[in-house]
Amino acid sequence: MTATPPDVIRCAYAELVVTDLAASRAFYVDVLGLVVTHEDSSALYLRAFEEYLHHSLVLRKGPEPALGVLAYRVRTPADLELAEAYYRGLGCPVSRRPAGATRGIGEAVRVLDPLGFPVEFFHEAEHVERFTQRYDVHGAGALSRLDHFNLDTPDVPAARKYYEGLGFRVSEDIQDAEGTVYAAWMFRKPTVHDVALTGGDGPRLHHIAFASHERHQILHICDHLGALRKSGMIERGPGRHGVSNAFYLYVRDPDGHRIEIYTHDYYTGDPDNPVITWDVHDNQRRDWWGNPVVPSWYTDASVVLDLDGRVQPVVERAEPREADVTIGADGFSYASGQAEFKLGEQV
Amino acid sequence: MTATPPDVIRCAYAELVVTDLAASRAFYVDVLGLVVTHEDSSALYLRAFEEYLHHSLVLRKGPEPALGVLAYRVRTPADLELAEAYYRGLGCPVSRRPAGATRGIGEAVRVLDPLGFPVEFFHEAEHVERFTQRYDVHGAGALSRLDHFNLDTPDVPAARKYYEGLGFRVSEDIQDAEGTVYAAWMFRKPTVHDVALTGGDGPRLHHIAFASHERHQILHICDHLGALRKSGMIERGPGRHGVSNAFYLYVRDPDGHRIEIYTHDYYTGDPDNPVITWDVHDNQRRDWWGNPVVPSWYTDASVVLDLDGRVQPVVERAEPREADVTIGADGFSYASGQAEFKLGEQV
Amino acid sequence: MTATPPDVIRCAYAELVVTDLAASRAFYVDVLGLVVTHEDSSALYLRAFEEYLHHSLVLRKGPEPALGVLAYRVRTPADLELAEAYYRGLGCPVSRRPAGATRGIGEAVRVLDPLGFPVEFFHEAEHVERFTQRYDVHGAGALSRLDHFNLDTPDVPAARKYYEGLGFRVSEDIQDAEGTVYAAWMFRKPTVHDVALTGGDGPRLHHIAFASHERHQILHICDHLGALRKSGMIERGPGRHGVSNAFYLYVRDPDGHRIEIYTHDYYTGDPDNPVITWDVHDNQRRDWWGNPVVPSWYTDASVVLDLDGRVQPVVERAEPREADVTIGADGFSYASGQAEFKLGEQV
Amino acid sequence: MTATPPDVIRCAYAELVVTDLAASRAFYVDVLGLVVTHEDSSALYLRAFEEYLHHSLVLRKGPEPALGVLAYRVRTPADLELAEAYYRGLGCPVSRRPAGATRGIGEAVRVLDPLGFPVEFFHEAEHVERFTQRYDVHGAGALSRLDHFNLDTPDVPAARKYYEGLGFRVSEDIQDAEGTVYAAWMFRKPTVHDVALTGGDGPRLHHIAFASHERHQILHICDHLGALRKSGMIERGPGRHGVSNAFYLYVRDPDGHRIEIYTHDYYTGDPDNPVITWDVHDNQRRDWWGNPVVPSWYTDASVVLDLDGRVQPVVERAEPREADVTIGADGFSYASGQAEFKLGEQV
């Protein structure tokens, strides 16, 4: 007998622990162009141009980089009760937080979910000005809204099952012929995902992603980092994903947290939305143009905190790793089904 | 005492020897969208959408891939006489070609230039419809015009001197602190280049480049190749060059000839146009975003034919190679001047 | 006591009666680039590149241009029973249609809704290939998906109330200080609208809209029509809407049916999504750049058929008309609140 | 016997007299994003992002809006002597200006040309930082460089003849079947124009134009003005010109001076570049999409000063006016050759 899960609307905000607020501000505000809702000596509260809730990203000063919390918005205040009961039923640590425990956010329930991630559910939040048409402050790399979270977790099928229990559905995944699942994309709002599950040592945060309207906005962020002589912050891309069809860029913030900029997602809201399964050996699954994935993208991720602010231990993935079975010493990939593919080796 | 050189307007067309015209047509016409001016069993004559001369690219069927000729347009018919005298003075093989020797091209002078490249000078050419506003046939990856040639040659300073003799000026180059010159960009029309000289084993053709209006047209070519499951034809990019500031993509045709698609060049037409010299160790010189250059881009190039259609021998570069002195086993690069840079290693 | 309405997912397809299928094909397929799922001597079934249901537009040959039906997809087969009961309860004509009555569509309920529009509800539909990544067939003006319907109806508050009964919510509207409502935008899927209600003589179809990813795709459609010497089909735009913030273009098909191409919409899926009310005298409400609305855009619309295929009578709007109270003889508009505004008069 | 004209490279800068420097700064710097090279209480010296000469636009405070001077750069210092002799030969007022007479500009020759415009020729100018890759300061509407001047002059054939004497060539023009010439586009650098001659009451400055790389940069300027509630400054466009094929926007500065933003021009540098003659009745000549030209665009222009700073008298055009012979009471236009065209009347 299972409890009723809360009705999750969408991924809503993330809190990252950063070690140097000024350095983070230079990156998130001056380069990425996020709007500052509030800032003080301990935290920055940021939002993208089309968002009207208080923030979609909190950067909180702390001793070492980590994920503080992932927050999902629920449909009604009553969903908080459902959340509490649901996670207690799962045997997870649960805590109630009064309104304002996080600035701008109403009453909330925080849990350490079965995958080991600190997750918050909230309904109420302070409204602030929506900058949709504030083109006077939109820069050349304007970001519209938070799009999704991407999580490293050792056992993707188990994680998928857990998220299906919360009412998420799969849009796409990556498997091999033996049935190993390497990654899955899952959503509540009708985009390709609110959360992606990536097979790897976890719990760790692989990245959070913001959406832009057009690709030139993403390209500008690259140009901007080049002009600052900070091209080293560009980790991967820009490129076109096979999975999701989105145009993407991965950058690393001053603490190494990975941020994706993302556009050209597709609508998934119909109940029979076709699930796309990609072969892990398909060289176009991660990059439609066949450009190789850099190793750090597979290996690096942010550790996560538990509800008491301690770094969670990381469990190794037992199943084969995508980086190992694809291009490289022991793996292979193809683009056309024949021999034709692009070697990832570089100078 | 030196002879007067011909007055070169711009790079005008290239002839590539290809081994399978149908395969080449699928690439240049169906993917790149070049307009067919004429085709028969031995050759394809192609132009981009804003060109009104008969062709800017000839694909001629032959037994092995090679560069057939590079053609420059000269300002007047009398420049042909100047060209003949100039190259005879240089001791180069020279041949006169009657109008129509190449379809659509008037009387011409062909030489084997001091760098070992087969080069043609012509003034007259047949006019055909300029498709500038034929948006009914422009695809999503529309190309506007031929932009430049890029040549592998062992001794860049010598090659630069030769091209300066022809009236070309340098816009940018790559050097190191010891004065080794790795590459130089030279122009007659007021863009960054009509010809680039890349230090390497030569004479070989590194690539020819076509310009588009905007970046999304270049990105579409990548998407298109992905859809055809031919992502292996994408060799490098898309990216932003440091040198020239252009947005670029390198693709390889079915014979391995390299084609660049290129946009966002700048105006160089004033006599005091500042020359930009890049340090070979600057990690943003080849890609403003610091993305590593793939090895094949440094090593592969097309052999060239002499005036009798025989493959020219290739002379090795004696000076240090850019690929060796930058990222990799023995080299290094920087982005910011400090330690910060992106390792090129890949899975 | 009210019946439970069907759970509408989104606007799903429209059927337009056209008088010349070949002319319509030249417009919708050759210019707009819609994909043909099926065609025969009596109809064309079309879809956009990211759609996997059989069609989002049916063009059916008939004696005079009209709207045949507007179709909404419902969440489950059981919603058909709800729909039938709901509209019978409203006293509307209702008919059940077996699967295949419209090619590609399963069992359906058709009604003549209280506003006088022929509306279909369906759940089942045939799946076809989703062309999301078929970049080999995407043209420069690629369209992604159907976005919304826009309806002329005399009494906007009454129409709004009716659609709220069906579970639609308002995202934006246009009013004046006296409380006259000139238009309202309403949605089920989390975009600005699935249906817009425009105050005017009705029932008439003002337009249907397809979404593209980026603005250059919309601009290409203009360029393409120019190249065909069919610029007369461009009625209004391109421009940026004040309402919805979307970038738009209105074109008229060979029968005069109006099609909008639309991009840059925003997310509306949270329950507290702020409603934006625009003053009818705000000169930037219809075009953020203040460019005047052409008169035909206010006056022209397509008549609609009843369930027996007869043209529905049109009822005149009794309240003030937006075209009359804004720029023109008796109206006025402002941009900044002061006198500054752009006169709409033209040569 | 004619004197040798100076060798003009390109249009180089304009000086506009403005009445409120702060208001002008808010427009040219804060909205258009031009870079300030120098400013003091009497003038602003501005340049676009790819320019390395001191300025391409001077805004000088004065009692009433006017054109102060149009400046062309010449190839060598010796061209100044040629310019002086050439204009003395034409009987024009001529004055020599020492280096620094205009800040940043070397020695110069100023003339009141036969068309009544104050024109400067200079060779030397101070170099400043070229911001080509300063993406950290490029806004979403980044402008690359000055492109051209557009002049109102009563007798276009006479003006054309004068500019041909200076070595300019025609790229395109607008005529009617009776041979009336309504406008001509003329160039030195290989773009469509350095100067356009528009038939109208003159001498007056119709506009100066800056080029951007892509169309989205132009669209952003519209969005930006909308956000500032200054949409009234958008006079015409955005649109695609028939003539030149360029994508355009016309805005009016706080004094009413007209600025065009312009992109997608084509290469004209070959000696046989085809001249395109448009029929004045072709409805797509001024806007490829057939959108009507607003009347102010035909009627308004900036008066010009003589060499002593007095406003030059304006001579009426004697020949038919384009606005009168096209759409409107007495004129007509066509798009397809048949009756089909778009009426310009507006609400």
Side-chain angles (χ1 to χ4, degrees):
Chain A
M1 194 199 75
T2 49
T4 304
D7 184 355
V8 171
I9 300 171
R10 59 175 178 92
C11 65
Y13 82 84
E15 178 176 309
L16 299 176
V17 180
V18 300
T19 59
D20 180 341
L21 278 174
S24 293
R25 196 185 200 288
F27 178 72
Y28 287 98
V29 179
D30 297 343
V31 176
L32 297 190
L34 292 174
V35 179
V36 179
T37 299
H38 180 81
E39 60 186 319
D40 55 37
S41 62
S42 67
L44 268 164
Y45 301 81
L46 305 173
R47 66 189 196 277
F49 285 121
E50 297 185 354
E51 294 176 325
Y52 63 90
L53 294 194
H54 186 269
H55 58 258
S56 57
L57 181 63
V58 181
L59 304 173
R60 192 170 304 283
K61 190 169 165 48
E64 56 181 326
L67 169 68
V69 78
L70 299 171
Y72 293 105
R73 191 174 197 196
V74 293
R75 196 161 303 276
T76 68
D79 284 300
L80 297 187
E81 315 311 319
L82 293 179
E84 179 169 3
Y86 187 77
Y87 283 94
R88 292 205 189 281
L90 293 175
C92 295
V94 175
S95 78
R96 296 292 300 231
R97 290 165 63 88
T102 296
R103 176 182 282 266
I105 302 296
E107 211 184 340
V109 170
R110 278 206 182 174
V111 307
L112 197 67
D113 78 7
L115 312 180
F117 287 90
V119 172
E120 175 174 301
F121 299 91
F122 74 95
H123 173 71
E124 294 289 350
E126 187 182 326
H127 284 208
V128 291
E129 184 186 353
R130 199 173 200 170
F131 271 27
T132 309
Q133 296 185 316
R134 286 293 304 275
Y135 292 105
D136 50 323
V137 295
H138 287 206
L143 302 182
S144 303
R145 56 172 180 75
L146 179 71
D147 189 82
H148 64 261
F149 306 140
N150 187 307
L151 313 180
D152 276 359
T153 190
D155 183 342
V156 176
R160 170 185 176 156
K161 197 164 200 172
Y162 157 64
Y163 264 107
E164 284 176 339
L166 265 178
F168 287 63
R169 286 192 293 136
V170 170
S171 55
E172 309 201 17
D173 65 7
I174 296 176
Q175 303 192 15
D176 64 17
E178 290 71 42
T180 307
V181 182
Y182 294 87
W185 284 256
M186 302 187 72
F187 65 95
R188 288 289 300 172
K189 74 178 183 309
T191 59
V192 170
H193 52 325
D194 284 286
V195 67
L197 307 168
T198 299
D201 304 344
R204 294 188 302 162
L205 174 71
H206 192 273
H207 66 264
I208 64 171
F210 287 91
S212 74
H213 277 261
E214 300 200 348
R215 290 167 294 177
H216 62 82
Q217 292 159 324
I218 295 177
L219 299 175
H220 177 79
I221 291 170
C222 299
D223 288 338
H224 192 164
L225 286 167
L228 299 175
R229 287 286 165 175
K230 292 192 175 297
S231 58
M233 298 180 106
I234 301 173
E235 182 186 39
R236 181 185 160 207
R240 168 82 68 190
H241 283 312
V243 175
S244 83
N245 192 43
F247 190 86
Y248 71 87
L249 171 71
Y250 294 96
V251 287
R252 301 289 290 271
D253 87 356
D255 284 292
H257 295 304
R258 184 182 290 111
I259 304 293
E260 182 179 15
I261 319 295
Y262 182 95
T263 193
H264 286 198
D265 198 90
Y266 62 88
Y267 169 79
T268 60
D270 280 18
D272 54 357
N273 183 69
V275 177
I276 301 174
T277 292
W278 295 76
D279 179 358
V280 74
H281 298 297
D282 183 341
N283 196 32
Q284 295 186 190
R285 76 197 180 288
R286 287 287 186 188
D287 186 276
W288 186 245
W289 311 334
N291 283 331
V293 178
V294 293
S296 64
W297 191 89
Y298 279 125
T299 57
D300 296 3
S302 299
V303 294
V304 309
L305 303 185
D306 66 15
L307 297 192
D308 300 313
R310 290 168 308 214
V311 172
Q312 282 274 78
V314 169
V315 177
E316 277 197 27
R317 174 169 169 87
E319 291 180 290
R321 291 160 188 273
E322 185 172 343
D324 295 337
V325 301
T326 53
I327 289 176
D330 306 310
F332 70 95
S333 292
Y334 61 86
S336 62
Q338 302 124 260
E340 181 210 348
F341 62 95
K342 209 184 311 191
L343 271 172
E345 54 186 293
Q346 302 271 21
V347 180
Chain B
M1 194 199 74
T2 48
T4 304
D7 184 353
V8 170
I9 302 171
R10 60 175 176 93
C11 65
Y13 81 85
E15 178 175 309
L16 299 176
V17 180
V18 298
T19 59
D20 180 340
L21 279 174
S24 294
R25 196 186 200 288
F27 178 72
Y28 287 98
V29 178
D30 297 343
V31 177
L32 297 190
L34 293 174
V35 179
V36 179
T37 300
H38 179 80
E39 61 186 317
D40 55 36
S41 61
S42 66
L44 268 165
Y45 302 81
L46 304 174
R47 67 190 196 277
F49 285 121
E50 297 185 355
E51 295 176 326
Y52 62 90
L53 294 194
H54 186 269
H55 58 258
S56 57
L57 182 63
V58 181
L59 304 173
R60 192 170 303 282
K61 190 171 164 48
E64 56 181 326
L67 169 67
V69 78
L70 299 171
Y72 293 105
R73 193 176 196 193
V74 293
R75 196 160 302 277
T76 69
D79 285 300
L80 297 187
E81 315 311 319
L82 293 178
E84 180 168 3
Y86 186 77
Y87 283 94
R88 290 203 190 283
L90 293 174
C92 295
V94 175
S95 78
R96 297 293 298 230
R97 289 165 62 90
T102 295
R103 176 183 282 267
I105 302 297
E107 212 184 339
V109 170
R110 281 207 181 172
V111 307
L112 197 67
D113 78 8
L115 313 180
F117 287 90
V119 172
E120 176 175 301
F121 300 92
F122 73 94
H123 173 71
E124 295 288 349
E126 188 182 327
H127 284 208
V128 291
E129 183 185 353
R130 200 172 199 170
F131 271 27
T132 308
Q133 296 184 317
R134 286 294 304 276
Y135 292 105
D136 51 324
V137 295
H138 287 206
L143 303 181
S144 302
R145 55 174 181 73
L146 179 70
D147 189 82
H148 64 263
F149 307 140
N150 187 307
L151 312 180
D152 275 1
T153 190
D155 183 343
V156 175
R160 170 184 175 156
K161 196 164 201 174
Y162 156 64
Y163 264 107
E164 284 176 338
L166 264 178
F168 286 64
R169 286 192 293 137
V170 169
S171 55
E172 309 200 17
D173 65 7
I174 296 176
Q175 303 191 16
D176 64 18
E178 289 71 42
T180 307
V181 182
Y182 294 86
W185 283 255
M186 303 187 73
F187 65 94
R188 288 289 299 172
K189 73 179 183 307
T191 58
V192 170
H193 52 325
D194 284 286
V195 67
L197 306 167
T198 299
D201 306 342
R204 293 187 303 161
L205 174 71
H206 191 273
H207 66 264
I208 63 172
F210 287 90
S212 74
H213 277 260
E214 301 199 346
R215 291 167 294 178
H216 63 82
Q217 292 158 323
I218 294 178
L219 300 175
H220 177 79
I221 291 171
C222 298
D223 288 337
H224 192 164
L225 286 168
L228 297 176
R229 287 287 163 174
K230 291 190 176 300
S231 58
M233 298 180 106
I234 300 172
E235 183 187 38
R236 182 185 160 207
R240 168 82 67 190
H241 284 311
V243 175
S244 83
N245 192 44
F247 190 86
Y248 71 86
L249 170 72
Y250 294 96
V251 287
R252 302 289 290 269
D253 88 354
D255 285 291
H257 295 305
R258 184 181 290 108
I259 304 292
E260 182 179 15
I261 318 294
Y262 182 95
T263 194
H264 286 197
D265 198 89
Y266 63 87
Y267 169 79
T268 61
D270 280 18
D272 54 359
N273 183 70
V275 177
I276 302 173
T277 291
W278 295 77
D279 179 358
V280 73
H281 298 297
D282 182 340
N283 197 31
Q284 294 185 191
R285 76 197 181 287
R286 288 289 186 186
D287 186 276
W288 186 244
W289 312 333
N291 282 331
V293 178
V294 293
S296 64
W297 191 88
Y298 279 126
T299 57
D300 295 3
S302 299
V303 295
V304 309
L305 302 184
D306 66 16
L307 298 191
D308 300 313
R310 290 169 307 212
V311 172
Q312 281 274 77
V314 170
V315 177
E316 276 197 27
R317 174 168 169 88
E319 291 180 291
R321 292 159 187 273
E322 185 173 344
D324 295 337
V325 301
T326 53
I327 290 177
D330 306 309
F332 71 95
S333 291
Y334 61 85
S336 61
Q338 302 123 261
E340 180 210 348
F341 63 94
K342 208 184 312 191
L343 272 171
E345 54 186 295
Q346 301 272 21
V347 180
Chain C
M1 193 200 71
T2 48
T4 304
D7 184 355
V8 171
I9 301 171
R10 60 176 176 91
C11 65
Y13 80 86
E15 178 176 309
L16 299 176
V17 180
V18 300
T19 59
D20 179 342
L21 280 174
S24 294
R25 196 185 200 288
F27 178 73
Y28 287 98
V29 179
D30 297 344
V31 176
L32 298 189
L34 292 174
V35 179
V36 179
T37 300
H38 181 80
E39 60 186 317
D40 55 36
S41 61
S42 66
L44 267 165
Y45 301 82
L46 305 173
R47 67 190 196 276
F49 285 121
E50 296 186 355
E51 295 176 325
Y52 62 90
L53 294 194
H54 186 269
H55 58 257
S56 56
L57 181 63
V58 181
L59 304 173
R60 191 169 305 282
K61 190 171 165 49
E64 56 182 326
L67 169 68
V69 78
L70 299 171
Y72 292 106
R73 193 175 195 195
V74 293
R75 198 161 300 277
T76 69
D79 285 300
L80 297 187
E81 315 313 318
L82 293 178
E84 180 169 2
Y86 186 77
Y87 283 94
R88 289 204 190 283
L90 293 174
C92 294
V94 175
S95 78
R96 299 292 297 231
R97 289 164 64 88
T102 296
R103 177 182 281 265
I105 302 297
E107 212 185 336
V109 170
R110 281 208 180 169
V111 307
L112 196 67
D113 78 8
L115 312 181
F117 287 90
V119 171
E120 175 174 302
F121 300 91
F122 74 94
H123 173 72
E124 295 288 350
E126 188 181 328
H127 285 209
V128 290
E129 184 187 353
R130 200 172 198 169
F131 271 27
T132 308
Q133 296 184 316
R134 285 293 305 276
Y135 292 105
D136 51 322
V137 295
H138 287 207
L143 303 182
S144 301
R145 55 173 181 74
L146 179 70
D147 189 81
H148 65 261
F149 306 140
N150 187 307
L151 312 180
D152 276 359
T153 190
D155 183 343
V156 175
R160 171 184 174 155
K161 196 164 203 176
Y162 156 65
Y163 264 106
E164 285 176 338
L166 264 178
F168 287 64
R169 287 193 292 137
V170 170
S171 54
E172 308 200 17
D173 66 7
I174 295 176
Q175 302 191 17
D176 63 19
E178 290 71 40
T180 307
V181 183
Y182 294 87
W185 283 256
M186 303 187 74
F187 66 94
R188 288 289 298 173
K189 74 180 182 308
T191 58
V192 170
H193 51 324
D194 284 286
V195 67
L197 306 167
T198 299
D201 306 342
R204 294 187 303 162
L205 174 71
H206 192 272
H207 66 264
I208 64 172
F210 287 90
S212 75
H213 277 259
E214 301 198 347
R215 290 167 295 178
H216 63 81
Q217 292 158 323
I218 294 177
L219 299 175
H220 177 78
I221 291 171
C222 298
D223 287 337
H224 192 163
L225 286 168
L228 297 176
R229 288 285 164 175
K230 292 190 176 301
S231 58
M233 298 180 105
I234 300 172
E235 183 187 38
R236 180 183 162 211
R240 168 82 68 189
H241 283 310
V243 175
S244 83
N245 191 43
F247 189 85
Y248 71 86
L249 171 72
Y250 294 96
V251 287
R252 301 288 291 270
D253 87 355
D255 286 291
H257 295 305
R258 184 182 290 109
I259 304 293
E260 182 179 16
I261 318 295
Y262 181 96
T263 194
H264 287 196
D265 197 89
Y266 63 87
Y267 169 79
T268 60
D270 280 17
D272 54 358
N273 182 70
V275 177
I276 302 173
T277 291
W278 296 77
D279 179 358
V280 73
H281 298 297
D282 182 340
N283 196 31
Q284 295 186 190
R285 77 198 180 288
R286 288 288 187 187
D287 186 276
W288 186 244
W289 311 334
N291 283 329
V293 178
V294 293
S296 64
W297 191 89
Y298 278 126
T299 56
D300 296 3
S302 300
V303 295
V304 310
L305 302 185
D306 67 15
L307 296 192
D308 300 313
R310 289 169 307 214
V311 172
Q312 282 273 80
V314 169
V315 177
E316 278 197 26
R317 175 168 169 88
E319 290 180 292
R321 291 159 187 273
E322 185 172 344
D324 295 336
V325 301
T326 53
I327 289 176
D330 306 310
F332 71 94
S333 291
Y334 62 86
S336 60
Q338 302 122 264
E340 180 209 350
F341 63 93
K342 209 183 312 189
L343 271 171
E345 54 186 295
Q346 302 273 20
V347 180
Chain D
M1 195 200 72
T2 48
T4 304
D7 184 354
V8 171
I9 301 171
R10 59 175 178 90
C11 64
Y13 81 85
E15 178 175 309
L16 299 177
V17 180
V18 299
T19 59
D20 179 342
L21 279 174
S24 293
R25 197 185 200 288
F27 178 72
Y28 287 99
V29 178
D30 297 343
V31 177
L32 297 190
L34 292 174
V35 179
V36 179
T37 300
H38 180 81
E39 59 185 318
D40 55 35
S41 61
S42 67
L44 268 165
Y45 301 80
L46 305 173
R47 66 189 196 276
F49 286 121
E50 297 186 354
E51 295 176 325
Y52 63 90
L53 294 194
H54 185 270
H55 58 257
S56 56
L57 181 64
V58 181
L59 303 174
R60 191 170 305 281
K61 189 170 166 48
E64 57 181 326
L67 169 68
V69 77
L70 299 171
Y72 292 105
R73 191 173 198 197
V74 294
R75 197 160 301 277
T76 69
D79 284 300
L80 296 187
E81 315 312 317
L82 292 179
E84 179 169 3
Y86 186 78
Y87 282 94
R88 292 205 189 281
L90 292 175
C92 294
V94 175
S95 78
R96 298 292 299 230
R97 289 164 65 87
T102 296
R103 178 182 280 267
I105 301 297
E107 210 184 338
V109 170
R110 279 207 181 172
V111 308
L112 196 69
D113 78 7
L115 312 181
F117 287 90
V119 171
E120 175 174 300
F121 300 91
F122 73 95
H123 172 72
E124 295 289 350
E126 188 182 328
H127 284 209
V128 290
E129 184 187 353
R130 199 172 200 169
F131 271 26
T132 308
Q133 296 184 317
R134 285 294 304 275
Y135 292 105
D136 51 323
V137 294
H138 287 206
L143 303 183
S144 302
R145 55 172 181 74
L146 179 70
D147 190 82
H148 64 260
F149 307 140
N150 187 308
L151 313 180
D152 276 359
T153 191
D155 183 342
V156 176
R160 170 185 176 155
K161 197 164 201 174
Y162 156 66
Y163 264 106
E164 284 176 338
L166 264 177
F168 287 63
R169 286 193 293 136
V170 170
S171 55
E172 309 201 17
D173 65 7
I174 296 177
Q175 303 192 15
D176 64 18
E178 289 71 43
T180 307
V181 182
Y182 294 87
W185 284 256
M186 302 187 73
F187 65 95
R188 287 289 298 171
K189 73 179 182 309
T191 58
V192 169
H193 51 326
D194 284 287
V195 67
L197 307 167
T198 299
D201 305 343
R204 295 187 301 161
L205 174 70
H206 192 273
H207 66 264
I208 64 171
F210 287 90
S212 73
H213 277 259
E214 300 199 347
R215 290 166 294 177
H216 63 81
Q217 291 158 324
I218 294 177
L219 300 175
H220 177 78
I221 291 171
C222 299
D223 288 337
H224 192 163
L225 286 168
L228 298 175
R229 288 285 164 176
K230 292 192 175 299
S231 58
M233 297 181 106
I234 300 172
E235 182 186 39
R236 179 183 162 210
R240 167 82 68 189
H241 284 310
V243 175
S244 84
N245 192 44
F247 190 84
Y248 71 87
L249 171 71
Y250 295 96
V251 288
R252 301 289 290 271
D253 86 355
D255 284 292
H257 295 305
R258 184 182 290 110
I259 304 293
E260 182 179 15
I261 319 296
Y262 182 95
T263 194
H264 286 196
D265 198 89
Y266 63 87
Y267 170 79
T268 60
D270 280 16
D272 54 358
N273 182 69
V275 177
I276 301 174
T277 291
W278 295 77
D279 179 358
V280 74
H281 297 297
D282 183 339
N283 196 32
Q284 295 186 190
R285 76 197 180 289
R286 287 288 185 187
D287 186 275
W288 186 245
W289 310 334
N291 283 331
V293 178
V294 293
S296 64
W297 191 89
Y298 279 125
T299 57
D300 296 3
S302 300
V303 294
V304 309
L305 302 185
D306 66 16
L307 296 192
D308 300 312
R310 291 170 306 215
V311 171
Q312 281 274 80
V314 169
V315 177
E316 277 197 27
R317 175 169 168 87
E319 290 179 291
R321 290 159 187 274
E322 186 172 343
D324 295 336
V325 301
T326 53
I327 289 176
D330 306 310
F332 71 95
S333 292
Y334 61 86
S336 62
Q338 300 123 264
E340 180 210 349
F341 63 94
K342 209 182 312 190
L343 271 171
E345 53 187 293
Q346 302 272 21
V347 181

